Amino acid sequence: MQDFIQHIINGISLGSIYALIALGYTMVYGILKMINFAHSDVYMVGAFAAYYVARFFGIEANPGLPTLITLLVASMVVCSLLGLAIERLAYRPLRSSPKLNILITAIGVSLFLEYGGQVVFGADPKVFPEVMKDFVLFNIGSVELKSFDVTVLVVSLIAMLGLQFLIHKTKIGKAMRAVSSNASVASLLGMNPDRIIAFTFIVGSALAGVGSVLVGMKYPKIDPLMGMMIGLKAFVAAVLGGIGNVGGAVLGALIMGLSEEMVVAYISSTYRDALAFGILIVILIFKPAGLLGKYTVEKV
Amino acid sequence: MKFLKMPLLALAGLSVLGLIFDFGFNAYIQLTLLFVLVNCLMSMSLNLVNGYTGQFSLGHAGFMAIGAYFSAYANTHWDILPPSLQYIEFFVWAAGAGLTAAAAGFLVGLPSLRLKGDYLAIVTLGFGEIIRVALLNMDFLGGPRGYSGIPGFGSFLFSFIFASLWGVICFFTIWRVMHSTYGRGFLSVREDEIAAEAMGINTTKMKVRAFVLSSFFAGVAGALFAHFTNFINPSSFTFLQSVNAVIMVVLGGMGSMTGSIVAAFLITALPEVLRPLQDLTGVDLRMVIYSLALILVMILRPKGLFGDLELTDVWRKYVRRSA
């Protein structure tokens, strides 16, 4: 029983990281109706940005809250700029072309970042600097609540609540929702869809940056191909919850994190990658729009 | 026997080509050429689903893996013919590999083809990954260590002719299917699914049929791949391999058979041609250039090299007119 609770805690902590990345997918999908395959590689670049910033300022020697915040900000800034550049150079020229072309371009950008990353950063894994000391906050019986899990949870909660506030309470969030539901009408009403889309990319990529620092903190080994699997899983989480739906992404990510942790604990760690897709397939077959997604009937 | 004339001619032409390659080129180029043929099979079969039927599948590597493992296992464990007829056995097991992959394609396609667009893409991707992970956990197939000691064909010429034979079968099967009633059905699903349904076409049935035929040839491609490399392991059939097949289809032009073939050649040869660059700069720039080229093609020539035209159409449209 105590093991079980421990696994739940680990699962929630993993799920909240997935959620941060899944939100990036879901936001871009919600507004552009495209899978941004490069999102997971933006996340990888964020991890490396944090790594180099930490080394440059030499703050890896004194872990603590200031270090965490510095690295978060650095990673968010680099990721946003990268997301903006990708949108501008690769996706915008293709805005009106068929969906498949955009998908292929996204895969191309993803490959470019992965292999470009291998050239720039080197293919060997690097050890992420120690951002915070990991210690046991308190334990009930033998269930340990570690400071990492709490930090991950708190940071991702802040990020998600911030996003929720941005989308539902601010003017630009309203514009984002408007462009998402109908870009041409939104532009008739005086919004500039291009700028809103660029802003969406900035926000989504910044969330990926936050996720990268958190993952680096929890699993301190980074390499240029690290985005591939976590990206797929986060995307699956987004689809699972109903893509385009912010709450759905979080729910899907928590389901993914928990079930993955349970499979590793009770069945076999080799099946963890298959499980994600297994869940996805079952859910999509019974509920094609995801758990919280609305199924729309195509009108002729 | 009129319908056999063109395929036989094509096979004869390819055999002569193989004979030339057998003398004039070194083993490295020869192996690359064999991979070109494998990739031709992959791109042509995926073209049937992605290009002609308009359903975006990202799990093609999974079917290739099934074919590869089936053929590897069958050829090392089951002897049905005396050793002198080994080539026939290779052919039989390659067909068997195709049928196994087709059966898997049916099982995968039946539930997932009710989905559309991006959802279908991600579900097929998931199935591809599941097949890979399942192979990782099958100990009698080598698991993560891979399957080694797969019998090869001995000489380049036989390998080339064997691959050409399957390439010709694949090309003409798909070609003839596309010019039959079924082919029209596939195209109608691509153009407008709702209208097709209204005209009385069972769209799910059509899609599943295209999918099964496509996975058959992907399985055969996997069998060929296994015999050419003599070693396979689950990481040969990752997401990247599926993406590779999609890239070939899109680069060649969705719905163009000859486009798929040309693109398969380009995509297989390009990384090899760029290999000297690695020695020059010291870092591996091939994949970077390759992906950059992909993005540029999508931006500058979004319909791919051929669009939905065949080589003969291009000839008629541009070359004959100017003459």
Side-chain angles (χ1 to χ4, degrees):
Chain A
M1 188 63 204
Q2 281 166 342
D3 275 355
F4 184 72
I5 295 172
Q6 186 71 57
H7 291 314
I8 286 186
I9 292 172
N10 293 347
I12 289 176
S13 142
L14 184 65
S16 49
I17 293 174
Y18 283 156
L20 281 176
I21 303 165
L23 282 174
Y25 280 107
T26 221
M27 283 177 71
V28 170
Y29 193 91
I31 204 159
L32 273 181
K33 302 279 176 286
M34 67 167 283
I35 304 176
N36 180 14
F37 265 104
H39 187 67
S40 56
D41 301 297
V42 171
Y43 146 87
M44 176 273 291
V45 173
F48 273 94
Y51 169 78
Y52 283 113
V53 165
R55 289 222 357 218
F56 184 74
F57 289 113
I59 47 179
E60 50 194 327
N62 43 346
L65 202 58
T67 314
L68 177 68
I69 292 172
T70 321
L71 291 189
L72 278 178
V73 170
S75 167
M76 280 166 79
V77 168
V78 171
C79 284
S80 322
L81 290 178
L82 184 64
L84 194 63
I86 291 173
E87 197 273 329
R88 192 70 200 230
L89 299 174
Y91 299 152
R92 194 174 291 186
L94 286 166
R95 191 75 44 82
S96 56
S97 47
K99 250 177 151 176
L100 193 54
N101 290 40
I102 303 177
L103 194 60
I104 302 288
T105 313
I107 292 174
V109 174
S110 163
L111 291 179
F112 179 71
L113 289 178
E114 275 164 20
Y115 290 95
Q118 285 197 341
V119 172
V120 177
F121 308 130
D124 49 319
K126 294 188 169 46
V127 180
F128 200 75
E130 195 180 10
V131 181
M132 286 183 95
K133 286 253 181 290
D134 191 17
F135 53 89
V136 178
L137 270 185
F138 55 87
N139 43 5
I140 310 158
S142 66
V143 179
E144 293 178 338
L145 200 60
K146 285 187 167 172
S147 63
F148 268 18
D149 296 328
V150 175
T151 319
V152 166
L153 202 62
V154 168
V155 172
S156 33
L157 265 181
I158 293 174
M160 286 172 216
L161 289 179
L163 182 67
Q164 202 69 8
F165 176 78
L166 180 83
I167 291 179
H168 289 285
K169 294 281 188 293
T170 60
K171 210 171 168 185
I172 194 150
K174 206 175 198 176
M176 276 161 78
R177 283 182 288 147
V179 171
S180 161
S181 69
N182 193 331
S184 52
V185 173
S187 77
L188 283 178
L189 293 173
M191 292 163 219
N192 183 347
D194 278 344
R195 278 177 65 184
I196 305 292
I197 289 169
F199 182 75
T200 313
F201 268 84
I202 290 179
V203 176
S205 307
L207 288 174
V210 176
S212 72
V213 175
L214 295 183
V215 174
M217 208 167 86
K218 209 162 147 57
Y219 310 101
K221 204 188 84 181
I222 56 173
D223 66 279
L225 298 182
M226 68 193 267
M228 223 183 247
M229 206 58 211
I230 204 165
L232 279 179
K233 282 180 188 159
F235 178 72
V236 167
V239 175
L240 187 63
I243 196 157
N245 183 325
V246 172
V250 177
L251 177 70
L254 284 178
I255 294 176
M256 289 280 297
L258 280 172
S259 50
E260 206 178 301
E261 189 67 33
M262 293 301 159
V263 165
V264 173
Y266 294 108
I267 303 173
S268 157
S269 60
T270 42
Y271 279 108
R272 69 189 284 183
D273 293 347
L275 169 98
F277 296 107
I279 298 178
L280 174 80
I281 289 164
V282 172
I283 296 242
L284 280 187
I285 286 168
F286 291 109
K287 222 170 166 333
L291 286 177
L292 298 186
K294 279 192 218 62
Y295 191 71
T296 47
V297 177
E298 207 172 324
K299 287 185 190 140
V300 185
Chain B
M1 297 312 271
K2 206 176 131 198
F3 69 97
L4 274 179
K5 208 175 86 185
M6 281 299 285
L8 286 179
L9 265 177
L11 185 62
L14 278 168
S15 305
V16 172
L17 212 62
L19 206 62
I20 297 170
F21 289 139
D22 197 22
F23 290 114
F25 296 95
N26 61 23
Y28 170 58
I29 296 181
Q30 287 179 345
L31 191 65
T32 310
L33 281 170
L34 292 179
F35 285 143
V36 168
L37 283 174
V38 172
N39 280 338
C40 276
L41 269 174
M42 283 294 278
S43 63
M44 279 192 285
S45 68
L46 190 65
N47 187 29
L48 184 64
V49 173
N50 279 18
Y52 286 135
T53 321
Q55 305 300 311
F56 192 60
S57 160
L58 263 178
H60 226 49
F63 302 116
M64 192 181 174
I66 290 178
Y69 271 92
F70 179 87
S71 184
Y73 190 81
N75 272 308
T76 44
H77 286 80
W78 302 330
D79 284 320
I80 49 164
L81 293 170
S84 55
L85 293 173
Q86 206 192 2
Y87 288 102
I88 297 179
E89 199 175 304
F90 274 127
F91 186 84
V92 170
W93 290 134
L99 288 177
T100 319
F106 181 74
L107 291 178
V108 171
L110 207 55
S112 55
L113 282 168
R114 293 188 303 163
L115 303 168
K116 279 179 200 159
D118 299 331
Y119 289 103
L120 178 65
I122 206 75
V123 165
T124 46
L125 192 163
F127 270 114
E129 284 293 304
I130 286 177
I131 289 171
R132 192 176 64 81
V133 174
L135 286 173
L136 268 177
N137 286 290
M138 286 182 189
D139 220 34
F140 69 104
L141 290 176
R145 280 164 298 157
Y147 201 111
S148 53
I150 303 165
F153 295 94
S155 74
F156 166 73
L157 188 60
F158 275 116
S159 313
F160 192 85
I161 292 178
F162 190 76
S164 313
L165 175 65
W166 275 110
V168 167
I169 292 176
C170 174
F171 183 88
F172 284 96
T173 308
I174 295 179
W175 183 269
R176 291 195 70 88
V177 164
M178 286 319 295
H179 288 82
S180 71
T181 324
Y182 284 127
R184 307 289 177 212
F186 294 166
L187 286 178
S188 74
V189 171
R190 174 184 77 181
E191 293 305 328
D192 193 330
E193 212 176 318
I194 296 168
E197 191 128 32
M199 294 302 289
I201 289 171
N202 187 340
T203 48
T204 309
K205 219 171 180 175
M206 280 295 166
K207 287 190 269 184
V208 171
R209 277 184 182 141
F211 205 70
V212 166
L213 188 59
S214 166
S215 39
F216 176 84
F217 286 113
V220 173
L224 295 180
F225 178 80
H227 292 299
F228 293 158
T229 50
N230 301 332
F231 171 75
I232 45 174
N233 68 343
S235 52
S236 329
F237 307 105
T238 51
F239 170 56
L240 212 61
Q241 182 75 38
S242 305
V243 168
N244 216 19
V246 172
I247 288 170
M248 287 187 274
V249 171
V250 175
L251 183 71
M254 307 252 295
S256 167
M257 297 283 290
T258 41
S260 302
I261 294 172
V262 172
F265 181 78
L266 287 179
I267 295 286
T268 321
L270 188 67
E272 306 303 330
V273 173
L274 290 175
R275 206 180 279 275
L277 208 67
Q278 193 179 353
D279 305 328
L280 207 69
T281 52
V283 283
D284 191 4
L285 282 174
R286 289 179 301 136
M287 282 305 284
V288 181
I289 295 174
Y290 176 43
S291 51
L292 205 58
L294 187 73
I295 302 170
L296 287 178
V297 166
M298 280 299 109
I299 293 176
L300 301 175
R301 197 168 168 77
K303 289 194 82 177
L305 294 175
F306 284 82
D308 52 3
L309 299 175
E310 299 293 346
L311 200 58
T312 45
D313 300 326
V314 176
W315 176 267
R316 234 172 273 145
K317 197 170 167 191
Y318 296 104
V319 183
R320 284 253 305 264
R321 185 190 286 165
S322 59

